[in-house]
Amino acid sequence: MKKNAEQLIDLRIAAEPCCLKLVRSVIRDVAELAGLPEQERDNVVLAVHEACMNVIQHAYHNAPKEEIRLSVLRSQSALIFLLQDDAPCVDTESIRPRDLDQIRPGGLGVHFIRQIMDEVEFLECVVTGNTLKMVKYFQS
């Protein structure tokens, strides 16, 4: 995590699709306050939404009563998003976007996240509790 980063948001939500409206609203407001242009705000909202949906569907397998934690930090040069769950550690090597030549709905979340964010990485997981770090740098 970047030193001298100010924590802007520390949000805990139920891992349910209906709760993602709140996440999108909060991320949009944070991105606007940080000065991101409208298109970049929309893209960042999409990336965080997709990351949350991946936790709900793939980490928690749509299990009720699970929780997602989202922290947003601001450094001088970037917004830093930390998305945490309590699911078993994921095999990060298996997380790949599907082939874009395959025409079918769904499965593009990882592609969008990697295209939109400037840095994407999973922080170390020992037994449970995955943390996805996504960074969006401010344009100079």
Side-chain angles (χ1 to χ4, degrees), residues 54-98:
N54 284 346
V55 170
I56 292 167
Q57 294 176 334
H58 303 293
Y60 288 141
H61 306 286
N62 297 305
K65 302 194 192 260
E66 297 294 348
E67 180 180 81
I68 297 173
R69 293 175 304 284
L70 175 64
S71 298
V72 182
L73 299 96
R74 180 187 175 140
S75 70
Q76 285 187 316
S77 61
L79 284 176
I80 304 156
F81 303 88
L82 298 172
L83 188 66
Q84 298 175 293
D85 63 50
D86 295 314
C89 297
V90 297
D91 174 10
T92 58
E93 295 298 316
S94 70
I95 300 174
R96 293 191 177 103
R98 73 168 165 81

Side-chain angles (χ1 to χ4, degrees), residues 26-64:
V26 167
I27 296 304
R28 184 173 309 286
D29 288 348
V30 166
E32 182 177 6
L33 290 172
L36 291 181
E38 185 174 0
Q39 183 62 50
E40 283 189 46
R41 287 194 302 259
D42 291 345
N43 287 342
V44 166
V45 168
L46 175 62
V48 173
H49 169 88
E50 290 294 334
C52 289
M53 277 304 296
N54 284 346
V55 170
I56 292 167
Q57 294 176 334
H58 303 293
Y60 288 141
H61 306 286
N62 297 305

